Structure formats: C-alpha cells, structure tokens
Amino acid sequence: MVVSLRYLRYSLGGWAVTALSIALLGSASGAALAQTSGADPVRPLDQATSSLSIASGQQLMAEAEAAIADQNYPLAETKLTEARESFNQLSTYYQELAQMFVGVDTQLNRSHREKALATAQLRDQATYQLALVYRAQDQPNEAVPLLMEILRSQQPTRDLGQRAYQQLFELGFVDEPYNGRAATTSPEATTPAE
C-alpha cells in the first residue's frame, strides 16, 4: 500500500512526516555506519557508571549503606529506590533476553536467565533495605508493600523471604510468627475416607 506524502502530512501533521523521514534515513545511515570501518568504534556500556549495570546498582547500595550509617534516611531512601529500579530493569531485560533464546541457543538462554535471577536477588535486597529505612522512619505503611513484594519474589522458604515475613510480624501486620517449619496437614486431611 502506497501512501502519499501529502496524505501523511494532512493526517499526521508535518512533524510526523519529518520524524518518519529522519527515522527512515537514520536506519539507512545507521546500517552504513555499522559497515564503515573508518568510523570511531562504538563504545560498550561503561559498567562502572551506566545505570544499566550491576556495578552501578551496587554502588548505589553502598552509598545507601553509608547514608544509613550516618542516619541520613532521606538520602538512603533515594539511593535504595534508584538501586531497586535499576536492578528491576536489568532483571526484566535479562528475562526478556533469556526468553528470546529459548530453543535457539541454550547457553545464551541459561546465561541470561542466571543474570535475571542474580539481578532480581539484588533488587529484593535493595527492596528489603528500603523497607527497613521506612521502618526506621516509623513509616510502616510504606514498608509493608515492599515486604510483600519480597515475599512474592522470594517465598517464605528462602532466607530473605523469612526475614521479610519476620518484619511483617514485628510491624504487627501478621499475627503469627514463621519459624521456617515445614507445611503441616490438618488431622482431617490425614483421616482415611470411610
């Protein structure tokens, strides 16, 4: 289907045509740049400073730790929120990459899945620390949703999940403690049918 430039300008406005033209030219010139060996090489992400790196998120966590030690809870809250968002984004990207390689390349699928799990664990740790910061500021209404997120992700069978549940118990959100015991069945469920 061929659409005239005049129709596009009328229906989308002049800016859309310009953007479309730039995008079309950009993709052609981008391919040409990729083939040009004389151009400056593309630099990879700087793992120390890019917001899309594990090292950057860990640096934010370290800065938050220092702020907590100084009892500068607003700064700690900001740093932990940034770290949490960064790790969440990374985990999502690695999950998407892992899914793209299912049935295509087992090694790449496994590698990206492992990075997704590692960054999700870091996200949950940042979330837990953020919940503790809210608790230290006497803001349980902010802490409880974060602790619930951790439990959804970690489950109460893992250490971080158990610690999150313990925080919920200490805050009075739940009535019964969890000691990491195995699930039990009720006597009715074990009685044989007559």
Side-chain angles (χ1 to χ4, degrees):
M1 178 175 145
V2 176
V3 178
S4 73
L5 190 59
R6 181 177 296 162
Y7 175 76
L8 277 175
R9 188 177 309 252
Y10 175 74
S11 62
L12 299 176
W15 67 270
V17 172
T18 304
L20 180 63
S21 300
I22 290 171
L24 291 174
L25 290 173
S27 65
S29 63
L33 284 175
Q35 295 174 357
T36 305
S37 61
D40 289 336
V42 176
R43 293 192 175 137
L45 288 173
D46 182 356
Q47 293 299 313
T49 60
S50 171
S51 64
L52 292 175
S53 73
I54 293 172
S56 174
Q58 289 172 325
Q59 177 61 36
L60 289 167
M61 295 269 298
E63 291 171 13
E65 250 181 68
I68 291 168
D70 292 339
Q71 295 186 350
N72 185 348
Y73 297 126
L75 178 60
E77 181 182 335
T78 299
K79 295 296 182 179
L80 288 168
T81 300
E82 290 174 13
R84 184 172 170 259
E85 290 170 357
S86 176
F87 289 137
N88 190 54
Q89 187 176 36
L90 285 169
S91 180
T92 300
Y93 287 161
Y94 286 128
Q95 283 175 341
E96 290 173 357
L97 283 168
Q99 286 298 332
M100 290 175 199
F101 287 99
V102 169
V104 176
D105 188 315
T106 305
Q107 178 58 34
L108 284 173
N109 169 266
R110 184 179 307 119
S111 172
H112 295 311
R113 191 174 65 240
E114 288 170 2
K115 284 186 177 179
L117 289 171
T119 51
Q121 181 68 28
L122 290 167
R123 175 204 60 213
D124 291 347
Q125 289 172 0
T127 303
Y128 183 76
Q129 290 299 322
L130 183 58
L132 293 182
V133 166
Y134 283 130
R135 186 167 178 201
Q137 296 178 86
D138 197 28
Q139 297 177 355
N141 289 342
E142 301 295 328
V144 168
L146 296 176
L147 296 167
M148 289 301 298
E149 280 184 35
I150 295 165
L151 275 164
R152 277 192 293 274
S153 176
Q154 295 286 320
Q155 299 299 306
T157 55
R158 293 189 180 141
D159 179 57
L160 192 57
Q162 288 178 15
R163 289 189 288 156
Y165 187 86
Q166 179 63 31
Q167 291 294 320
L168 289 173
F169 177 70
E170 289 175 14
L171 287 169
F173 185 74
V174 294
D175 297 332
E176 294 187 39
Y178 175 68
N179 299 319
R181 61 185 179 268
T184 58
T185 56
S186 63
E188 299 85 37
T190 57
T191 306
E194 296 182 316

